Amino acid sequence: FAPLWQRYTPPLMAELYILRGEISKAEEQLSQGEEIEVEMNVLFTYFYLRMKSRLALEHKHYDEALTLVQEMLSMIHTSGTLYFLEDLYFYGQVLRAMGRDDESYQAMITARDKAKEQGSKWTLWRILVAISEIEHQRGNTEEADRRLTEARNNLAYIADHISDPELRSTFLEQPEVRMVNETLKQ
């Protein structure tokens, strides 16, 4: 049983390194599991595609990132695996990085609707920030402000439900969380 779950380690460690901005360490972790990728089931393959797509975006290899995220989303739909909201959000981010803002916006709207439907405040706040940025870029400042306020409300809800003061403080001090809260204070 343990060797089966050890297959998750490289992509999960890669994700942690990506979150810390340590891209070379993420690549090193992901390469450790490449020899078993072809024999993996859908869920294991999903995690590898997820990290490969994120690394491709980090390196500004947009076409590769798009191909990988599309493959991943297709796999999720056809396998019956839980639909990962963060992946639809990431899909929108890749499209936006490619300058395909209209498609990005549509992906974000779909992700927002699914996040609301599932009650996923964690993913929802990030989606709302992305929608706000696109609306601002389009010159729709009132709509952008509404989405940013909605994102802030989701962040406040999350923070209010973290009972450990140290963890709550750590959450609120994350750069992306601070950015949303500070933007609204201006």
Side-chain angles (χ1 to χ4, degrees):
F1 184 71
L4 177 68
W5 289 104
Q6 287 174 347
R7 292 179 177 180
Y8 279 115
T9 303
L12 294 177
M13 289 299 297
E15 184 164 18
L16 292 174
Y17 283 123
I18 288 171
L19 290 171
R20 292 179 56 168
E22 299 179 45
I23 304 308
S24 62
K25 287 184 180 180
E27 291 170 330
E28 183 182 316
Q29 279 295 317
L30 203 55
S31 71
Q32 291 178 22
E34 286 181 358
E35 69 279 355
I36 61 169
E37 183 178 354
V38 292
E39 66 185 62
M40 292 186 294
N41 67 26
V42 170
L43 192 55
F44 294 123
T45 303
Y46 160 80
F47 280 109
Y48 278 95
L49 289 174
R50 180 180 165 115
M51 289 306 100
K52 284 181 180 181
S53 66
R54 278 142 179 85
L55 287 172
L57 183 62
E58 287 290 330
H59 290 298
K60 299 183 183 344
H61 299 155
Y62 301 130
D63 290 334
E64 179 184 357
L66 182 62
T67 298
L68 290 166
V69 76
Q70 286 173 329
E71 184 179 345
M72 189 174 56
L73 289 170
S74 174
M75 181 186 306
I76 291 168
H77 286 296
T78 59
S79 70
T81 306
L82 177 65
Y83 193 84
F84 290 90
L85 292 171
E86 288 205 18
D87 297 324
L88 187 52
Y89 162 74
F90 181 71
Y91 176 60
Q93 292 294 86
V94 170
L95 290 168
R96 189 153 182 235
M98 296 176 81
R100 295 165 60 176
D101 290 341
D102 290 340
E103 293 171 88
S104 173
Y105 183 79
Q106 289 306 312
M108 294 298 180
I109 295 298
T110 301
R112 179 201 64 193
D113 294 347
K114 289 187 179 297
K116 285 183 175 184
E117 184 180 296
Q118 294 179 15
S120 176
K121 292 189 180 299
W122 176 254
T123 305
L124 181 58
W125 77 265
R126 288 187 166 139
I127 295 166
L128 291 167
V129 169
I131 292 171
S132 173
E133 290 169 352
I134 295 169
E135 291 290 6
H136 184 73
Q137 186 178 11
R138 291 177 167 181
N140 301 331
T141 55
E142 286 182 26
E143 184 64 20
D145 290 346
R146 272 196 292 279
R147 296 301 150 231
L148 207 51
T149 298
E150 195 176 346
R152 185 172 187 260
N153 292 340
N154 278 277
L155 286 172
Y157 178 89
I158 293 167
D160 288 347
H161 287 82
I162 300 173
S163 59
D164 182 293
E166 189 175 331
L167 287 177
R168 184 177 192 275
S169 177
T170 299
F171 171 71
L172 291 172
E173 289 302 315
Q174 290 180 35
E176 59 272 10
V177 173
R178 278 196 349 255
M179 186 265 320
V180 172
N181 288 328
E182 289 171 5
T183 300
L184 289 166
K185 291 177 184 175
Q186 297 174 357

